[in-house]
Amino acid sequence: MWRERDGVRLLSCHELERDGFINGFSTRMGGTSPMPQNALNLAGFHEDAAENIHENRRRFLRLFDGDWQLTAVWQMHSADVRIVRDREDARSDQVRCDALTTNAAGILLAVKSADCVPVILGDQRTGACAAVHAGWRGTVARIVERTLERMSAQYGTRAEDVRAAIGPAAGGCCYEVGAEVIEAFRSNFDDADSLFQPTREGHALIDLQRANRNQLIQSGVKSERIHTAPFCTMCRTDLFFSYRREKSTLGRVGRLISVIGRQG
Ligand SMILES: [Zn+2]
């Protein structure tokens, strides 16, 4: 479901919203960053002016009614999960991890991406939610499974109550990987070969959205409660930023963010 305000567009999961979780996957439209122009770059302070990012975040947050504390983290392709206790705790964005979870209202958990897979989770029964950044390393490290385990330990979340939305990411149509990645998946997942489409010697296309969907199902999330955005960031650079597509040609790549939070 698309939402738009003053030229800023985002993709939102209607079912999660119906469960009481405000959520959205950003696009590149309606911003102020020269990437190449009017780009809604929402992170990456070393590649864009801070005032652009702050203005873009202000525009992005206007799509959500109410008073929200946005919280992001320093991502490093790990399987570390951070518990965000309250709004005060949410103000710190220097924590290093790749997933965030909270059961407090009014906090907008955010993960950044540009090709990696963003996954957001909402548990209507306990009010807990989570935002997860899963690149290939995080996927191999089973970060969505780790996040569900933390939600279960911390908030009593049961996987069968969870609804998940998997956001736009480099798709199985475009994301080619080499022997190192193929080997990492083969040694960690019995069904790894179902994720690959062989290309040239020693290379294959990998479907990371599907890999994360499989992990959610194996953790007990019902398949009908997993919603996958039908967009590849590498195919659709008109809508999204793609690190792999744009880094070499433009030098600088914007960052998308994916957010979820519980309404008070
Ligand atoms: Zn594609």
Side-chain angles (χ1 to χ4, degrees):
M1 187 176 87
W2 292 105
R3 285 169 61 161
E4 180 161 359
R5 184 165 177 176
D6 303 329
V8 178
R9 261 175 105 183
L10 64 77
L11 197 60
S12 175
C13 175
H14 176 66
E15 289 84 354
L16 269 171
E17 200 164 294
R18 214 180 43 206
D19 288 351
F21 297 100
I22 276 291
N23 71 89
F25 299 98
S26 76
T27 67
R28 69 189 301 154
M29 277 114 70
T32 61
S33 296
M35 292 169 152
Q37 68 264 323
N38 305 329
L40 193 77
N41 174 40
L42 293 165
F45 287 92
H46 58 292
E47 292 189 36
D48 192 7
E51 59 261 35
N52 289 343
I53 296 174
H54 290 306
E55 170 61 16
N56 290 338
R57 285 187 177 184
R58 195 183 64 77
R59 294 185 188 189
F60 178 73
L61 288 172
R62 269 198 315 209
L63 280 135
F64 305 100
D65 293 328
D67 176 28
W68 294 93
Q69 173 66 47
L70 183 74
T71 186
V73 289
W74 197 287
Q75 295 170 188
M76 49 184 201
H77 299 278
S78 69
D80 298 341
V81 185
R82 174 189 173 197
I83 306 284
V84 181
R85 294 184 307 275
D86 50 32
R87 286 177 71 98
E88 184 56 41
D89 191 19
R91 287 196 183 88
S92 160
D93 60 1
Q94 293 304 306
V95 180
R96 289 170 186 260
C97 66
D98 285 85
L100 296 139
T101 183
T102 192
N103 66 348
I107 295 171
L108 214 46
L109 305 174
V111 287
K112 302 164 261 190
S113 63
D115 291 341
C116 289
V117 183
V119 183
I120 53 176
L121 307 169
D123 171 10
Q124 193 181 22
R125 193 178 62 86
T126 65
C129 59
V132 182
H133 163 251
W136 74 262
R137 289 176 197 280
T139 304
V140 165
R142 300 177 188 267
I143 188 164
V144 296
E145 288 183 42
R146 298 287 99 83
T147 306
L148 283 167
E149 286 165 12
R150 282 303 288 276
M151 289 172 76
S152 165
Q154 199 76 20
Y155 309 120
T157 290
R158 304 181 304 209
E160 64 263 34
D161 297 322
V162 169
R163 191 181 291 286
I166 299 173
C173 41
C174 293
Y175 189 11
E176 189 182 57
V177 293
E180 180 200 4
V181 179
I182 295 171
E183 194 40 50
F185 275 84
R186 282 196 177 139
S187 53
N188 282 282
F189 301 98
D190 294 337
D191 62 349
D193 283 327
S194 70
L195 305 171
F196 295 119
Q197 190 87 331
T199 52
R200 58 206 158 100
E201 179 65 33
H203 292 73
L205 294 166
I206 184 168
D207 189 341
L208 285 183
Q209 283 181 322
R210 181 161 166 197
N212 282 282
R213 181 183 153 84
N214 290 352
Q215 279 183 34
L216 288 166
I217 291 170
Q218 278 154 21
S219 301
V221 179
K222 298 187 176 112
S223 60
E224 67 270 22
R225 293 172 71 87
I226 304 172
H227 312 272
T228 304
F231 292 105
C232 166
T233 48
M234 292 176 72
C235 288
R236 296 304 303 270
T237 50
D238 57 325
L239 292 173
F240 306 104
F241 297 115
S242 169
Y243 189 86
R244 288 195 145 216
R245 228 17 132 217
E246 298 175 275
K247 184 68 180 175
S248 54
T249 50
L250 299 174
R252 299 181 306 173
V253 186
R255 297 294 190 279
L256 306 164
I257 66 172
S258 304
V259 299
I260 185 166
R262 181 166 66 83
Q263 284 169 306

